[in-house]
Amino acid sequence: QVQLVEAGGGLVRPGGSLRLSCTVSIASQSFFRDYAMAWYRQGPGNQREWVATITAGGMTYYANSVKGRFTNSRDNAKNTVYLQMNSLNAEDTAVYYCNAPPGTDYYSWGQGTQVTVSS
C-alpha cells in the first residue's frame, strides 16, 4: 500500500511563500520516478480541485489560478515532490494534498497539510 505524507503548511501573510512536500513512503524509487504526481487542494466549503501536475519526465502543468505563482518539482532519490508557493493570497487557503494525476487511479488520500493565508 502506498502512503502519502504531506507537510510544510502553516500560517502565512498575504504575499508570503511556503514550500510543501509530499513524501511517498512505501513506493520504491524505481516506481516513483516512472510516474507523474499531482497536487490538489480543498478550501473551506469547496470541492477538492486540481492544482498542479509533474510528469515522470519533469514536465509541469498548473491550474490557471496558480500559474506563475506555484512551482512543482520532485526529488526522486527522496521519493518526494514539492510545491513552492509564492505570492500567496486568501484564495489559496486550503488543505493541500498530493496524489496521482487526474485520469489515473488514485492512491489512498493522505491527511493533507493546512495552508492558511491571513493578515
Side-chain angles (χ1 to χ4, degrees):
Q1 183 178 359
V2 174
Q3 185 175 1
L4 306 172
V5 180
E6 300 93 348
L11 176 64
V12 64
R13 302 284 190 179
S17 299
L18 285 172
R19 189 178 76 154
L20 308 183
S21 65
C22 166
T23 300
V24 183
S25 63
I26 299 179
S28 66
Q29 182 175 321
S30 60
F31 171 84
F32 179 77
R33 70 183 182 184
D34 288 338
Y35 289 87
M37 295 292 295
W39 288 94
Y40 304 83
R41 67 185 183 185
Q42 185 171 14
N46 296 325
Q47 298 296 313
R48 183 162 48 228
E49 64 176 343
W50 170 80
V51 174
T53 292
I54 183 165
T55 70
M59 298 296 297
T60 55
Y61 303 87
Y62 301 94
N64 288 334
S65 58
V66 307
K67 191 175 299 181
R69 299 187 298 119
F70 291 10
T71 303
N72 210 349
S73 63
R74 66 192 298 158
D75 185 341
N76 291 331
K78 297 180 178 179
N79 283 11
T80 300
V81 296
Y82 301 94
L83 187 68
Q84 178 67 48
M85 307 186 298
N86 299 325
S87 301
L88 288 163
N89 56 58
E91 287 68 45
D92 298 315
T93 295
V95 179
Y96 285 73
Y97 303 87
C98 60
N99 214 307
T104 64
D105 291 337
Y106 289 146
Y107 306 113
S108 296
W109 294 95
Q111 293 186 349
T113 185
Q114 175 72 53
V115 172
T116 302
V117 185
S118 176
S119 60

